[in-house]
């Protein structure tokens, strides 16, 4: 599958943004949430401390009430006189005024004399009661939270026993207990001694408030500590007093809005707070919401753990905050992604557009449009690439133009030679017959015996010149390739040797050094021996003439790499050929040797013969240094 550069660019951009974005979100949110949790826990701890203070304040108030009642003159008097007449109403009034559930007077042994909450029941001993007992011993005011059994509560008032009675409501994660209900109650209680004038104990006043179903304290804490703030209709802070593990006073609500009395703490909290006596600060599912909670034990006067004070902060507000934070982080990530998408899109376009132009131009160039150029001015690697492309295109164009020009020239040259050949052939053909006739009749005349000697001489001249004319005509016909070669297999090396043997002895060759580098296993060529001999002869003679009797001639044969043709080379150290006459060299009658009777047919004939053999003839020359003629002939396959 082909994945475009653009996709790759965009995908890698996005990958970076997504990874960093999500990692940042994860780390950031975790850090923030951790901080928030710690802060919330600190807050709930502080809130618990405030709740504890209010609780203790409440206890102190009862303590003060007990003490102040105990020091009242009329109570002391009544005890001294053993006449309770008159004080009963007073005690009932105080109980009501001070919202006390319990206000009871005992004698100096702890035997109940009068119960303001239940005047009908008296004479029982409260000496065994923890607080009363302590006052009997210490004669000091004491106060504490206390568990009072249902039976004892009943004595203080049937309504109190009823108020204390709570049936357990099944709660998830609670610690299982065999009981199904609670009959005893938790009471904030204080006991104070009534002292005589000689500082002797006359009796004891004890006062108390039942905490079961009494919401005064928890609501007071809620109002002062949490200021009654609500979040989405729910109280943000909740407060509970537990008797043991049982919710007896709370503003945690059930789904129906009623107070969640009768539910119990989870086993975890039970173990930590009630058994271990340690505070518990953690998130917890309370009744039907998650809270960040703090629990701490409530002790009785002996230091035994009898209950729990609890505050909880609604977690929802905090979770919403966390979600909002997460949302913001994710939002930033997504915005980053969008931005990256846009930037990478434009970046990719910026990079890709010039590349596409380059690709387009390259394709056009490959199809032959050499004028293709890419206009790019950017000063980067792509700009460099475009520059290189343009340079390449113009180089190709230049070379192409040169090649075309040279090919054109070649074609023109051979066309010119061909038309010249046709002309020459026409002329030669026309002249050949009359020349034949001239020769025949001249020879006939010569045969006559009575011819004068001087006339005979003239006639002989006519015959000679006519023969010369016929030779020229034959040369012209050779050039025009009108004489069909009689081809037979021949060894080029041998032909060269035979030609050299013919000419070597001549005076002209005396000071010429001839070097031969002949290919030892040159294949046979299908040629007309006499014609090729003539070509070699012409070229060798030209070379020797160009050297004016002094120099060296190198003759070589070689098989070309393709194995299809052989090359015969003639290199002389003669005068060389000036460039301006180069293209006329093979024309018939072109010669630079007018004074030495050159007729300029040698190369023309040679050209005709070589072309007739489907060969090629080429010249390389440097004026003053020498000339090389190269003849290429096809290797004839033996068939
Ligand atoms: N090897 C050579 N060195 C220098 N010039 C040469 C050579 N071969 C041929 N030429 C030139 O080519 C011309 C044509 O040669 P050719 O056709 O043989 O005619 P000719 O020899 O009768 O002049 C010569 O006149 C000479 O100027
Ligand atoms: Mg010649």
């Amino acid at each position: 599958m082909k994945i475009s550069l653009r996709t790759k660019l965009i995908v890698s951009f996005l990958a970076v943004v997504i990874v960093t974005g999500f990692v940042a979100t994860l780390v950031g949110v975790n850090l923030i949430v951790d901080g928030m949790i710690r802060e919330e826990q600190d807050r709930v701890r502080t809130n618990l401390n405030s709740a504890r203070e209010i609780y203790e304040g409440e206890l102190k108030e009862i303590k003060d009430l007990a003490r102040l009642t105990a020091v009242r003159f009329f109570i002391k008097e009544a005890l001294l006189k053993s006449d309770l007449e008159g004080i009963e109403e007073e005690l009932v009034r105080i109980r009501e005024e001070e919202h006390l559930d319990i206000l009871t007077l005992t004698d100096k042994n702890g035997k109940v004399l009068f119960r303001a909450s239940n005047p009908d029941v008296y004479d029982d001993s409260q000496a065994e009661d923890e607080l009363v007992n302590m006052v009997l011993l210490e004669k000091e005011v004491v106060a504490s939270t206390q568990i009072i059994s249902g039976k004892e509560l009943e004595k203080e008032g049937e309504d109190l026993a009823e108020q204390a009675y709570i049936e357990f409501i099944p709660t998830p994660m609670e610690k299982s207990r065999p009981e199904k209900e609670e009959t005893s109650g938790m009471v904030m209680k204080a006991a104070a001694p009534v002292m005589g004038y000689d500082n002797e104990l006359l009796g004891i006043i004890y006062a108390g408030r039942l905490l079961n179903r009494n919401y005064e304290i928890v609501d007071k804490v809620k109002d002062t500590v949490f200021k009654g703030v609500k979040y989405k209709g729910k109280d943000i802070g909740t407060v509970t007093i537990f008797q043991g593990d049982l919710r007896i006073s709370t503003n945690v609500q059930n789904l129906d809005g009623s107070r969640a009395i009768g539910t119990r703490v989870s086993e975890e909290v039970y173990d930590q707070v009630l058994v271990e006596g340690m505070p518990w600060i953690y998130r917890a599912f309370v009744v039907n919401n998650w809270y960040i909670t703090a629990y701490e034990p409530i002790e009785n006067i002996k230091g035994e753990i009898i209950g729990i004070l609890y505050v909880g902060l609604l977690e929802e507000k905090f979770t919403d905050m966390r979600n909002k934070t997460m949302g913001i982080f994710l939002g930033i990530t997504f915005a980053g992604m969008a931005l990256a998408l846009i930037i990478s899109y434009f970046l990719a376009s910026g990079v890709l557009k010039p590349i596409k132009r380059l690709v387009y131009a390259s394709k056009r160039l490959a199809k032959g449009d050499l004028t293709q150029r890419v206009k790019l001015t950017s000063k980067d690697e792509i700009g460099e690439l475009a520059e290189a492309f343009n340079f390449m295109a113009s180089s190709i164009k230049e070379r192409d133009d040169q090649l075309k020009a040279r090919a054109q020239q070649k074609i023109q040259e051979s066309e010119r030679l061909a038309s010249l050949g046709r002309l020459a052939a026409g002329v030669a053909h026309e002249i050949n017959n009359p020349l034949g006739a001239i020769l025949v009749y001249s020879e006939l005349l010569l045969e006559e015996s009575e011819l004068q000697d001087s006339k005979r001489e003239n006639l002989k001249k006519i015959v000679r010149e006519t023969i010369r004319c016929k030779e020229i005509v034959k040369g012209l016909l050779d050039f025009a390739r009108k004489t069909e070669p009689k081809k037979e297999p021949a060894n080029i090396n041998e032909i060269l040797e035979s030609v050299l043997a013919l000419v070597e002895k001549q005076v002209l060759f005396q000071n010429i050094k001839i070097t031969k580098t002949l290919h030892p296993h040159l294949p046979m060529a299908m040629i007309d021996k006499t014609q090729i001999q003539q070509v070699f002869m012409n070229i060798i003679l030209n070379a020797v003439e160009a050297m004016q009797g002094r120099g060296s001639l190198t003759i070589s044969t070689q098989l070309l790499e393709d194995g299809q043709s052989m090359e015969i080379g003639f290199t002389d150290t003669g005068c060389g050929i000036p460039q301006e006459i180069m293209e006329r060299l093979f024309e018939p009658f072109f010669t630079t040797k007018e004074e030495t009777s050159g007729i300029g047919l040698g190369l023309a004939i040679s050209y005709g013969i070589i072309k007739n053999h489907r060969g090629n003839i080429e010249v390389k020359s440097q004026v003053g240094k020498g000339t090389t003629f190269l003849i290429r002939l096809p290797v004839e396959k033996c068939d």
Side-chain angles (χ1 to χ4, degrees):
M1 197 176 67
K2 192 176 140 191
I3 299 171
S4 75
L5 211 56
R6 180 193 302 254
T7 318
K8 280 184 199 161
L9 265 170
I10 291 174
V11 165
S12 21
F13 246 78
L14 277 187
V16 170
V17 173
I18 288 171
V19 169
T20 47
F22 279 104
V23 167
T25 303
L26 222 71
V27 172
V29 167
N30 261 329
L31 280 176
I32 289 171
V33 166
D34 271 6
M36 278 161 91
I37 288 176
R38 216 164 304 130
E39 205 172 294
E40 292 296 297
Q41 286 180 346
D42 283 350
R43 234 179 93 193
V44 83
R45 189 175 286 132
T46 318
N47 291 342
L48 184 63
N49 288 342
S50 309
R52 167 65 74 176
E53 241 160 70
I54 289 169
Y55 185 91
E56 296 294 342
E58 213 56 33
L59 193 59
K60 189 170 175 292
E61 192 199 318
I62 294 170
K63 192 177 176 182
D64 288 344
L65 279 173
R67 191 182 53 221
L68 289 174
T69 311
V71 296
R72 286 205 182 180
F73 171 75
F74 67 93
I75 291 183
K76 199 188 289 188
E77 283 300 308
L79 283 175
L80 281 173
K81 289 184 199 148
S82 297
D83 178 15
L84 296 182
E85 200 75 24
I87 68 161
E88 292 171 349
E89 285 143 57
E90 191 63 16
L91 285 175
V92 169
R93 194 188 55 78
I94 292 172
R95 175 181 172 265
E96 261 159 31
E97 228 163 60
E98 302 296 342
H99 302 292
L100 289 167
D101 290 319
I102 298 168
L103 185 61
T104 301
L105 177 67
T106 72
D107 67 7
K108 61 179 191 225
N109 298 317
K111 198 177 80 177
V112 172
L113 295 174
F114 178 69
R115 277 191 167 91
S117 53
N118 195 9
D120 298 339
V121 181
Y122 58 95
D123 258 355
D124 58 304
S125 174
Q126 288 290 324
E128 291 307 306
D129 178 84
E130 288 159 6
L131 291 179
V132 174
N133 186 259
M134 186 127 344
V135 175
L136 285 174
L137 291 175
E138 311 269 341
K139 299 181 183 65
E140 294 275 351
V141 190
V142 290
S144 166
T145 316
Q146 193 182 25
I147 303 286
I148 299 181
S149 70
K151 220 169 81 202
E152 286 297 322
L153 269 179
E154 227 163 275
K155 289 181 190 162
E156 303 296 343
E158 243 168 73
D159 53 334
L160 289 183
E162 219 166 274
Q163 187 185 328
Y165 176 80
I166 291 171
E167 238 174 82
F168 290 178
I169 294 168
T171 318
M173 301 197 294
E174 66 184 13
K175 176 144 184 147
S176 64
R177 273 166 57 177
E179 302 89 349
K180 291 269 169 281
E181 53 179 22
E182 185 60 69
T183 53
S184 52
M186 191 148 90
V187 179
M188 264 186 185
K189 192 167 161 187
V194 180
M195 304 299 272
Y197 296 103
D198 295 329
N199 216 17
E200 79 279 19
L201 185 69
L202 299 177
I204 295 170
I205 282 281
Y206 68 85
R209 269 185 201 144
L210 182 62
L211 294 173
N212 302 41
R213 290 201 169 89
N214 178 345
Y215 309 116
E216 207 179 303
I217 294 177
V218 290
D219 286 352
K220 190 173 175 186
V221 173
K222 192 180 89 178
D223 291 342
T224 45
V225 175
F226 301 111
K227 311 256 174 348
V229 175
K230 286 182 183 278
Y231 185 74
K232 292 186 179 171
K234 293 170 201 155
D235 283 324
I236 202 158
T238 53
V239 189
T240 298
I241 296 169
F242 290 89
Q243 176 181 339
D245 64 346
L246 177 70
R247 246 181 215 94
I248 56 163
S249 173
T250 185
N251 39 44
V252 173
Q253 290 179 343
N254 288 318
L255 283 175
D256 60 10
S258 62
R259 296 184 191 251
I261 299 296
T263 54
R264 288 153 60 207
V265 290
S266 68
E267 186 162 2
E268 276 180 308
V269 177
Y270 186 104
D271 289 342
Q272 167 115 349
V273 183
L274 286 176
V275 180
E276 303 281 331
M278 304 285 285
W280 164 280
I281 296 170
Y282 206 64
R283 71 192 286 262
F285 191 76
V286 178
V287 186
N288 47 39
N289 277 305
W290 279 99
Y291 287 88
I292 298 161
T293 61
Y295 296 80
E296 74 177 14
I298 296 173
E299 294 170 354
N300 68 8
I301 192 123
K302 289 184 193 155
E304 293 160 350
I305 296 164
I306 54 165
I308 306 172
L309 185 63
Y310 149 96
V311 295
L313 278 171
L314 195 64
E315 207 196 33
E316 202 172 322
K317 184 187 167 190
F318 156 75
T319 343
D320 285 355
M321 226 146 90
R322 186 190 59 196
N323 291 346
K324 208 168 135 191
T325 313
M326 197 119 86
I328 290 170
F329 265 85
L330 282 178
I332 292 172
T333 304
F334 281 118
M337 270 163 69
L339 203 69
L341 202 70
I342 294 167
I343 291 176
S344 56
Y345 181 85
F346 282 109
L347 207 72
S349 304
V351 173
L352 291 178
K353 215 182 270 167
I355 289 181
K356 275 189 177 157
R357 273 163 63 187
L358 272 165
V359 169
Y360 172 79
S362 303
K363 281 182 179 162
R364 295 288 316 226
L365 188 75
K367 279 184 184 152
D369 180 0
L370 299 183
T371 58
Q372 275 301 319
R373 296 290 181 276
V374 183
K375 276 195 206 82
L376 277 181
T377 47
S378 59
K379 295 253 173 298
D380 51 14
E381 285 83 348
I382 290 178
E384 270 173 45
L385 193 62
E387 217 169 90
F389 174 86
N390 289 342
F391 180 71
M392 178 186 77
S394 41
S395 300
I396 291 175
K397 171 124 177 51
E398 207 171 289
R399 221 159 301 161
D400 189 68
D401 287 349
Q402 279 175 5
L403 278 174
K404 272 185 190 153
R406 209 177 296 168
Q408 193 65 31
Q409 198 183 332
K410 276 259 154 91
I411 291 166
Q412 275 174 0
E413 227 164 82
S414 56
E415 269 175 2
R416 197 162 48 82
L417 287 175
S419 60
L420 263 174
R422 279 194 297 278
L423 179 71
V427 172
H429 196 74
E430 291 303 319
I431 290 174
N432 210 21
N433 292 343
L435 279 179
I438 292 170
L439 210 54
V440 169
Y441 289 114
S442 306
E443 273 165 357
L444 276 176
L445 277 176
L446 266 179
E447 275 167 22
E448 277 176 24
S449 49
E450 68 272 21
L451 209 63
Q452 270 178 17
D453 272 357
S454 63
K455 284 182 183 163
R456 184 176 297 274
E457 269 316 299
N458 284 344
L459 214 50
K460 272 185 185 166
K461 265 185 199 160
I462 289 173
V463 170
R464 242 191 353 258
E465 290 304 313
T466 310
I467 289 172
R468 204 168 101 84
C469 280
K470 281 209 74 149
E471 261 165 30
I472 290 170
V473 166
K474 185 175 169 289
L476 277 177
L477 286 173
D478 277 344
F479 165 68
R481 298 173 235 166
K482 285 294 178 212
T483 45
E484 208 41 53
K486 294 176 201 66
K487 285 185 186 173
E488 53 186 329
N491 186 327
I492 293 289
N493 286 346
E494 278 171 18
I495 294 174
L496 277 169
E497 297 284 6
S498 70
V499 172
L500 280 173
L502 265 177
V503 296
E504 247 170 355
K505 298 288 177 293
Q506 293 181 19
V507 198
L508 209 52
F509 284 79
Q510 264 171 6
N511 290 318
I512 303 291
K513 183 174 175 283
I514 295 176
T515 319
K516 290 172 282 185
T517 52
L518 304 182
H519 190 282
H521 309 292
L522 204 61
M524 298 296 242
M526 283 291 281
I527 52 165
D528 183 321
K529 267 192 201 173
T530 23
Q531 283 189 354
I532 293 298
Q533 256 174 351
Q534 196 187 345
V535 171
F536 292 168
M537 184 78 88
N538 287 342
I539 288 172
I540 290 170
L541 282 176
N542 277 348
V544 173
E545 279 164 6
M547 291 186 282
Q548 291 174 317
R550 191 171 293 274
S552 77
L553 172 65
T554 309
I555 298 171
S556 67
T557 55
Q558 69 182 99
L559 187 63
L560 289 185
E561 265 163 41
D562 58 1
Q564 301 294 307
S565 47
M566 59 182 77
E567 194 177 69
I568 307 111
F570 303 88
T571 304
D572 63 54
T573 55
C575 57
I577 305 166
Q579 188 60 43
E580 57 269 23
I581 66 166
M582 210 51 138
E583 55 190 60
R584 302 193 55 202
L585 230 47
F586 298 99
E587 271 178 27
F589 305 114
F590 174 79
T591 178
T592 54
K593 307 170 189 165
E594 277 88 6
E595 63 271 24
T596 53
S597 78
I599 53 164
L601 268 179
L603 285 182
I605 291 167
S606 302
Y607 180 88
I609 291 171
I610 296 301
K611 285 286 160 186
N612 241 345
H613 281 79
R614 287 187 283 119
N616 191 28
I617 184 163
E618 226 176 81
V619 200
K620 289 178 195 159
S621 184
Q622 249 185 310
V623 176
K625 286 210 166 155
T627 307
T628 298
F629 276 82
L630 288 170
I631 293 170
R632 210 166 284 177
L633 285 173
V635 168
E636 214 62 39
K637 280 180 214 84
C638 305
D639 40 16

